Structures are given as structure tokens and as C-alpha cells.
Amino acid sequence: GEDVEQSLFLSVREGDSSVINCTYTDSSSTYLYWYKQEPGAGLQLLTYIFSNMDMKQDQRLTVLLNKKDKHLSLRIADTQTGDSAIYFCAESIRDDYKLSFGAGTTVTVRA
Amino acid sequence: GAVVSQHPSRVICKSGTSVKIECRSLDFQATTMFWYRQFPKQSLMLMATSNEGSKATYEQGVEKDKFLINHASLTLSTLTVTSAHPEDSSFYICSARVAGEGTQYFGPGTRLLVL
């Protein structure tokens, strides 16, 4: 999606924290999502944040939203090999609930 | 909760034949389902929005006569790729929106290969 941008690759050492960044252009976004896709599989909803929130934490996952800069990030604490996947950022901006996806960030966890 | 299934998971067909893909919400009612297409190493491209009991809304550039969508019930939407050609080979993913919520839950995808 041209309205949502992500870096394409991230390599992280096992046990370290991963931070995946995303920028979006539409200030009227209502919800912002993080999805995980493993090879050959569909998308797994990891977490989401409502646009009037700054932060949301769920176990190892922390989402930060800077609405002023239209910047969203996902932090994965204590990254494990099972976290290797493609992570998609997505925004929902209209009442029709359509999602606009970023290109996806491929996270590789190395031992 | 919020499980979405797709059937089949993969299909190989001959050029010129039609293929039907089913998307089911297993434990919730989905007033809206979405169909996406994903090419290798790329993001998801929304093809159409399927609303129960009404005609699907197609995105620009998606041929409605080629990709037939039927949303017959609150738990089932089908995508039929008619007269399939090799360029239709792709990974097709559906999602379902829980009634009253904005979140979409995705199916596991269907890998289509047209020979």
C-alpha cells in the first residue's frame, strides 16, 4: 500500500528486542494493526491500537503510536526464533473497514 | 475465537477451468468478508469486499466477471476464478470482520496454480 510504508528487512539476534517501524499518511486512521505472516500461511492478528491511544502492551509486544508524526512501531521483547516472519502494518481509515497494508518487514532471528 | 478457514488450501487446475475457493467464519458471524491476492514477496492487494446478501464491491482493476463472489450466509463467502489462466496463479486470502467490530481475521490462504 502506497499509504503505509515499512522497512523491508530486519535482522535481530535471539534474545534481543526487535523494533519494526511503520509510517502512514492518513491522519484520519481509526485503527492501526500489526499482523504476522509465516511462510505459506495467512495473516495472524498480533495486536492493534486505536488512534486515540499512545501505547499498548501485550506480553512481549509493545505498540507505540505517534499520531503527530504518523509513526507506528512494534517492539518484540526477547525475540525468539519463532518470531521469524513477515510483519505487516495496516491502517483502517474509513467506515467500510478496508485495510491498507504496508509492504511487510521480513524479520530474521539469528542465533 | 475468531477463526477463519479456507478451502481448499491449495489447488492446481488446467488453464480455462474454473476454481471455487470457500471462506468460512467458524465461530462468529461475519457481515463483511474481504478477498485479497498476494504475489510472492509482496503485500496483500484487496480485490473485493463481500457483504452478506448484497453484491460484492470490487476494487479498481479487478474484473468482476472473472472473479465471482457470493456471500450467501453470515459465515460463508466464495470466490470463483472463472476461466483461469496462468497469470491468475497466486495466493488468495480472505478475511472476515466480526459484526460490530472493525478488526479483520484472516484465513490461512489458498495457493492456486494454473497450468
Side-chain angles (χ1 to χ4, degrees):
Chain A
E2 57 191 37
D3 299 324
V4 181
E5 293 189 354
Q6 303 176 237
S7 52
L8 294 181
F9 301 99
L10 175 67
S11 178
V12 62
R13 189 177 302 174
E14 188 176 12
D16 287 352
S17 292
S18 309
V19 179
I20 308 167
N21 294 300
C22 170
T23 58
Y24 58 97
T25 57
D26 199 310
S27 57
S28 58
S29 294
T30 52
Y31 287 93
L32 294 129
Y33 301 86
W34 285 104
Y35 286 91
K36 175 184 179 183
Q37 185 179 35
E38 298 186 37
L43 272 66
Q44 174 194 353
L45 176 64
L46 288 179
T47 187
Y48 65 93
I49 189 168
F50 190 51
S51 58
N52 67 355
M53 297 170 64
D54 299 323
M55 185 187 86
K56 181 178 180 180
Q57 186 161 359
D58 183 3
Q59 299 182 332
R60 293 192 297 123
L61 306 178
T62 303
V63 179
L64 294 178
L65 175 60
N66 182 327
K67 200 170 180 181
K68 174 176 170 290
D69 295 337
K70 300 188 185 66
H71 182 266
L72 182 74
S73 69
L74 174 68
R75 178 178 180 269
I76 306 172
D78 187 24
T79 310
Q80 303 297 308
T81 54
D83 295 324
S84 292
I86 301 176
Y87 291 80
F88 290 96
C89 166
E91 62 173 348
S92 172
I93 57 174
R94 296 186 297 266
D95 291 341
D96 57 14
Y97 301 103
K98 291 183 182 179
L99 293 179
S100 180
F101 283 89
T105 299
T106 299
V107 173
T108 303
V109 182
R110 60 186 192 278
Chain B
V3 178
V4 177
S5 71
Q6 280 184 243
H7 178 80
S9 58
R10 61 178 61 203
V11 57
I12 302 173
C13 70
K14 292 183 179 179
S15 186
T17 60
S18 294
V19 174
K20 180 185 282 189
I21 303 170
E22 292 185 350
C23 177
R24 292 182 185 272
S25 56
L26 297 185
D27 51 1
F28 66 98
Q29 292 187 332
T31 51
T32 306
M33 291 184 172
F34 301 87
W35 286 96
Y36 296 84
R37 185 173 179 176
Q38 185 181 33
F39 291 103
K41 309 288 186 187
Q42 294 189 26
S43 187
L44 281 73
M45 182 194 81
L46 178 65
M47 298 174 66
T49 303
S50 169
N51 293 297
E52 188 266 337
S54 64
K55 289 184 179 180
T57 304
Y58 290 81
E59 295 300 300
Q60 192 172 6
V62 178
E63 298 176 59
K64 63 179 181 181
D65 295 328
K66 177 151 186 73
F67 299 99
L68 300 179
I69 292 173
N70 185 287
H71 195 148
S73 74
L74 286 171
T75 59
L76 173 64
S77 176
T78 60
L79 169 69
T80 301
V81 182
T82 63
S83 186
H85 288 96
E87 58 264 31
D88 298 324
S89 299
S90 191
F91 193 51
Y92 292 87
I93 308 177
C94 73
S95 71
R97 181 176 72 85
V98 178
E101 293 184 16
T103 304
Q104 291 182 32
Y105 296 91
F106 284 78
T110 297
R111 178 77 58 191
L112 171 64
L113 176 61
V114 184
L115 302 177

